[in-house]
């Protein structure tokens, strides 16, 4: 059969070989190459479908973080345009090492990026774009050696009583602008000690007269 699925009637080997070559080339042209950028976009879109639902336990801010981190660290690299069937564990390691060095990232930040990549490849396996998940073979111990180590003491990271009061006063000044939601979030964090991920996952149903149900967003 040729590229139009018609039977090729020929006894000559050359004619049969030519027909096979035509069919193979035609099929190859129609096959879409899935780049990492396309894969990542599909994975994020899939996750977006669960944002704000009980099943997904994802917040909209989490989805935005996926997009911002990709744009900042991966989008402009050659890795983003590479065919995922040709990506190796070494390629992922080199990408993460370069990002860690060029952006001076900590271990926790580079772990987050690796998590995005790993989940993208898991998605690719699920939809049979690939059969081997190379992200599982990445040596993160080696990658983390390229990360910066922060030596800042806890005392330097915690606001003093005076600094807290100054921040609270500034928040109250801003709150005169009724819909400036960021300030309300800051004040709630100061009053409850809740973390950013916990604030992002907070729902009206989480608040009762006696307590707040805290759940970290993904």
């Amino acid at each position: 059969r040729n590229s139009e699925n018609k039977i090729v009637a020929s006894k000559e080997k050359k004619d049969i070989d030519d027909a096979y070559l035509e069919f193979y080339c035609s099929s190859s042209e129609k096959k879409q190459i899935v780049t990492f950028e396309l894969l990542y976009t599909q994975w994020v879109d899939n996750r977006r479908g669960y944002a704000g639902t009980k099943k997904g336990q994802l917040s909209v801010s989490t989805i935005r973080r996926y997009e911002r981190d990709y744009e900042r660290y991966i989008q402009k690299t050659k890795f983003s345009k590479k065919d995922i069937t040709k990506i190796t564990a070494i390629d992922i390691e080199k990408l993460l090492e370069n990002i860690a060095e060029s952006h001076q990232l900590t271990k926790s930040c580079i772990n987050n990026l690796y998590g995005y990549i790993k989940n993208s490849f898991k998605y690719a396996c699920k939809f049979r774009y690939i059969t081997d998940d190379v992200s599982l073979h990445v040596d993160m111990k080696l990658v983390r050696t390229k990360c910066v180590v922060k030596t800042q003491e806890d005392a330097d990271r915690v606001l003093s009583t005076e600094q807290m009061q100054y921040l609270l006063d500034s928040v109250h000044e801003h709150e005169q602008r009724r819909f400036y939601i960021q300030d309300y979030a800051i004040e709630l964090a100061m009053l409850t000690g809740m973390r950013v991920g916990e604030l992002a996952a907070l729902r009206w149903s989480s608040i009762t007269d006696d307590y707040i149900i805290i759940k970290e967003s993904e």
Side-chain angles (χ1 to χ4, degrees):
R1 295 177 182 274
N2 62 12
S3 60
E4 298 177 359
N5 205 33
K6 295 179 180 179
I7 296 176
V8 177
S10 176
K11 296 181 180 180
E12 297 294 330
K13 182 178 183 302
K14 181 178 181 303
D15 293 337
I16 295 175
D17 288 344
D18 289 343
Y20 174 80
L21 183 61
E22 180 190 353
F23 174 79
Y24 178 82
C25 291
S26 175
S27 299
S28 299
E29 289 173 358
K30 293 178 182 177
K31 184 179 179 181
Q32 182 183 22
I33 294 176
V34 179
T35 63
F36 181 75
E37 184 169 274
L38 178 59
L39 172 64
Y40 191 85
T41 301
Q42 290 182 359
W43 171 68
V44 172
D45 285 344
N46 176 264
R47 300 290 283 172
R48 195 194 314 278
Y50 297 101
T53 66
K54 291 183 179 180
K55 182 177 181 180
Q57 299 298 335
L58 277 173
S59 66
V60 176
S61 61
T62 300
I63 299 297
R64 286 201 295 266
R65 187 176 75 245
Y66 293 160
E67 294 172 330
R68 286 197 303 267
D69 286 350
Y70 179 82
E71 291 171 1
R72 183 176 182 183
Y73 301 116
I74 303 176
Q75 189 172 51
K76 294 181 181 179
T77 66
K78 292 181 179 179
F79 182 91
S80 68
K81 306 301 181 184
K82 195 164 186 176
D83 183 343
I84 62 170
T85 62
K86 302 184 185 303
I87 291 177
T88 66
I90 298 296
D91 292 329
I92 299 174
E93 289 174 3
K94 293 301 180 185
L95 171 73
L96 294 175
E97 288 174 359
N98 289 337
I99 292 173
E101 288 184 313
S102 60
H103 292 274
Q104 294 290 289
L105 296 185
T106 61
K107 292 179 181 179
S108 61
C109 290
I110 211 67
N111 285 342
N112 286 338
L113 287 178
Y114 172 57
Y116 303 159
I117 294 173
K118 185 169 66 173
N119 285 327
S120 296
F121 274 89
K122 182 179 179 180
Y123 179 88
C125 285
K126 182 178 180 180
F127 285 89
R128 298 186 179 180
Y129 293 151
I130 55 176
T131 55
D132 179 30
D133 187 351
V134 295
S135 69
L136 299 178
H137 307 300
V138 172
D139 190 342
M140 285 303 293
K141 288 184 178 180
L142 287 178
V143 173
R144 293 188 192 104
T145 62
K146 304 296 182 179
C147 295
V148 297
V149 179
K150 290 192 174 181
T151 57
Q152 190 179 34
E153 298 292 336
D154 286 344
D156 297 327
R157 297 171 55 241
V158 178
L159 296 179
S160 66
T161 303
E162 293 77 11
Q163 290 171 327
M164 287 283 284
Q165 187 59 55
Y166 179 79
L167 177 59
L168 191 58
D169 290 342
S170 299
V171 165
H172 287 163
E173 288 179 10
H174 287 175
E175 284 178 357
Q176 294 176 11
R177 291 176 287 176
R178 185 177 175 186
F179 297 108
Y180 197 74
I181 303 300
Q182 291 89 331
D183 283 325
Y184 293 107
I186 292 171
E187 184 170 9
L188 183 58
M190 294 172 67
L191 294 174
T192 63
M194 294 173 66
R195 296 175 294 178
V196 173
E198 294 165 346
L199 287 170
L202 195 62
R203 299 289 182 269
W204 284 115
S205 58
S206 304
I207 303 172
T208 71
D209 292 337
D210 301 316
Y211 56 83
I212 297 176
I213 300 172
I214 297 176
K215 191 166 189 178
E216 181 79 31
S217 65
E218 292 187 6

